[in-house]
Amino acid sequence: MKKTPPLPLYRQLFVDLKKQIDEGKYKVGALLPSENELCAAYKTTRLTVRHALKELKTMGYITSHHGKGSIVSEPKKALGILSIGGITAAVGHKNLATKIIRKASIHPWADEFFYPLSPQETEAACISFTRVRSVDNAPIVYEETFLANLHLPNFTALSLENVSLFNTLLEKYQVEIRSGEQRIWAVSANKSTGKFLKVKEGSPVVHMQRKLVTNNKHLNIYSSLYCNTEDFYLQDYF
């Protein structure tokens, strides 16, 4: 099996700090350790630490205050589906719940898939699953996810309930999102979408088709999702 290259040091530090924030070790309003303390704790350079902190700031996890340091941010009423960080990064684990509608399974790709596939992807078959993401018990995203069955041993046996797909891929397979593209429409909810998002048929929802490119060649993540933005706005950082 092809080995995935290890993550850069700044990314390892970012993942570790993000996990500690998600798990509540550093609560909203708390100061993260200083740059000098992080350098000493992780035996790395100030440049690496600053790169990791910049990633946390970009994803809305922290804010920087001159003379104070990095402070864990107050959760925002926003959805990060426009960014690579995704919903978990914007909302946080505490407020976000994920329900499996259809478990992960392996099968051939659809004849008319919504993104062009490489020969390697087509040959490897498709892993797909369907989930509903809720914030404070209100369903906000209905999402179908597709990825090639490449270098992901035992993926279909994993529990994807109440976890971040991106974190799961990163921690178990060292698969990291590098870039992507997405198409966005304003549409009316059909009967099925309305049922899962608990909105009336015909209500306005956001529809997105997405392709995310990873550090693992030929392993892309595709998704088709519908988002109820009645109580939340879409958010990105640039």
Side-chain angles (χ1 to χ4, degrees):
M1 183 178 70
K2 180 181 176 181
K3 292 184 178 180
T4 304
L7 295 176
L9 287 175
Y10 86 88
R11 192 68 184 178
Q12 295 177 36
L13 175 55
F14 161 79
V15 170
D16 191 41
L17 290 174
K18 176 178 174 295
K19 183 177 180 181
Q20 292 180 63
I21 294 172
D22 285 337
E23 293 177 348
K25 179 176 179 179
Y26 298 112
K27 301 184 184 300
V28 174
L31 272 172
L32 290 185
S34 69
E35 290 183 4
N36 287 338
E37 290 170 330
L38 289 172
C39 287
Y42 288 90
K43 296 180 174 59
T44 189
T45 66
R46 187 180 293 272
L47 182 63
T48 297
V49 168
R50 286 181 176 175
H51 199 165
L53 293 175
K54 181 180 178 182
E55 290 285 302
L56 287 171
K57 184 178 179 181
T58 297
M59 291 178 64
Y61 267 74
I62 62 172
T63 55
S64 298
H65 295 265
H66 184 68
K68 290 185 178 181
S70 299
I71 299 177
V72 178
S73 299
E74 181 72 32
K76 301 176 180 65
K77 206 170 185 181
L79 303 177
I81 62 173
L82 298 178
S83 69
I84 284 179
I87 298 172
T88 304
V91 176
H93 286 290
K94 293 183 179 180
N95 300 320
L96 182 64
T98 303
K99 181 180 179 181
I100 303 298
I101 303 300
R102 182 175 56 83
K103 293 182 179 180
S105 62
I106 301 174
H107 52 82
W109 294 89
D111 291 336
E112 296 184 4
F113 193 65
F114 55 86
Y115 267 103
L117 299 169
S118 69
Q120 290 83 357
E121 287 176 308
T122 303
E123 183 179 353
C126 172
I127 298 174
S128 72
F129 52 93
T130 305
R131 306 190 294 176
V132 170
R133 322 294 296 278
S134 300
V135 175
D136 295 330
N137 298 316
I140 53 167
V141 174
Y142 170 74
E143 181 176 21
E144 296 177 285
T145 302
F146 311 83
L147 58 166
N149 185 27
L150 285 168
H151 318 304
L152 299 173
N154 302 316
F155 183 87
T156 56
L158 298 177
S159 172
L160 298 174
E161 190 107 346
N162 293 324
V163 297
S164 163
L165 172 63
F166 297 171
N167 287 349
T168 298
L169 289 172
L170 185 62
E171 293 172 4
K172 293 188 176 295
Y173 302 103
Q174 291 73 57
V175 172
E176 181 182 14
I177 310 302
R178 290 290 174 83
S179 62
E181 61 177 282
Q182 49 203 5
R183 310 159 178 166
I184 304 173
W185 299 267
V187 300
S188 298
N190 59 27
K191 185 175 181 179
S192 176
T193 304
K195 172 186 174 183
F196 288 114
L197 292 179
K198 295 185 179 179
V199 298
K200 293 181 179 180
E201 185 175 355
S203 297
V205 294
V206 172
H207 176 43
M208 178 187 293
Q209 291 178 346
R210 197 179 202 195
K211 174 184 177 180
L212 296 175
V213 179
T214 75
N215 59 330
N216 198 325
K217 192 175 183 181
H218 304 303
L219 181 59
N220 302 309
I221 303 171
Y222 303 94
S223 59
S224 175
L225 62 85
Y226 295 85
C227 180
N228 175 12
T229 60
E230 184 175 0
D231 294 321
F232 286 82
Y233 57 89
L234 305 184
Q235 180 181 32
D236 193 9
Y237 296 90
F238 56 89

